[in-house]
Amino acid sequence: MTGSGSGTPYRILFVCTGNTCRSPMAEVIARDLIRSRGMEHVTVESAGTAASPGEGATPGAVHAAGENGLDLTSHLSRVLTDEMLDAVDLILGMTPGHVSAVEAAGGRSNAQLLSDFVAPGSDAAQVGVLDPFGGGPELYVATFETLERLIDAALDRIIDVGEP
């Protein structure tokens, strides 16, 4: 599988609650992995089910990303909208509650729990990615590492989507 062509655009949206921790980290991780894999046809965004628009990423998320060579300093939170739901091919929620919120907001059948998308049916998959908000730097780094592992595996599943 190459994933390096310029096929049909494929759009992924990561969703969490406030769009200041998990989904922004997921977005920058995915962008970095997509770039390194040459998957130019895949784009990513993030949003929150209860976000206050224009909030920066939490200091813990900025730190965890920075520790891994990625920059979240310019991130501004966005609230999930109908337009976003209609414009993407795959919506990956951090917890079952996020997936339920997306579905309640009119998300089509393209909403899935990130961990379940990677390992369908496993016990760990049903928990999702725990929220580091309010935790120390080590919790944010652990969340970052979990996201990186899950997103790498998720991209393995979609690497040829949209290829000619």
Side-chain angles (χ1 to χ4, degrees):
M1 292 188 219
T2 62
S4 60
S6 57
T8 304
Y10 191 80
R11 298 162 307 264
I12 302 170
L13 177 66
F14 293 102
V15 176
C16 69
T17 305
N19 192 223
T20 60
C21 299
R22 291 169 288 179
S23 60
M25 286 193 290
E27 181 180 356
V28 297
I29 291 166
R31 278 202 180 116
D32 185 57
L33 290 172
I34 287 165
R35 182 193 45 74
S36 69
R37 289 172 175 230
M39 298 172 70
E40 293 89 11
H41 66 288
V42 179
T43 61
V44 294
E45 298 179 62
S46 66
T49 58
S52 295
E55 298 280 325
T58 61
V62 171
H63 169 79
E67 287 286 309
N68 289 278
L70 301 176
D71 184 12
L72 267 178
T73 58
S74 63
H75 173 77
L76 295 175
S77 61
R78 301 180 324 148
V79 68
L80 183 67
T81 66
D82 292 341
E83 292 78 18
M84 287 178 198
L85 295 175
D86 291 339
V88 297
D89 299 294
L90 177 63
I91 302 164
L92 295 172
M94 299 296 135
T95 67
H98 297 128
V99 174
S100 294
V102 166
E103 290 169 348
R108 300 178 307 264
S109 60
N110 58 352
Q112 294 190 42
L113 184 63
L114 171 60
S115 53
D116 194 45
F117 181 77
V118 171
S122 73
D123 289 338
Q126 299 308 312
V127 174
V129 178
L130 301 178
D131 192 354
F133 188 79
E138 64 284 342
L139 183 55
Y140 279 91
V141 169
T143 300
F144 184 97
E145 291 169 353
T146 297
L147 286 167
E148 189 171 44
R149 179 180 47 80
L150 290 171
I151 293 165
D152 191 46
L155 291 176
D156 285 345
R157 286 203 56 203
I158 63 165
I159 197 163
D160 287 331
V161 172
E163 286 296 307

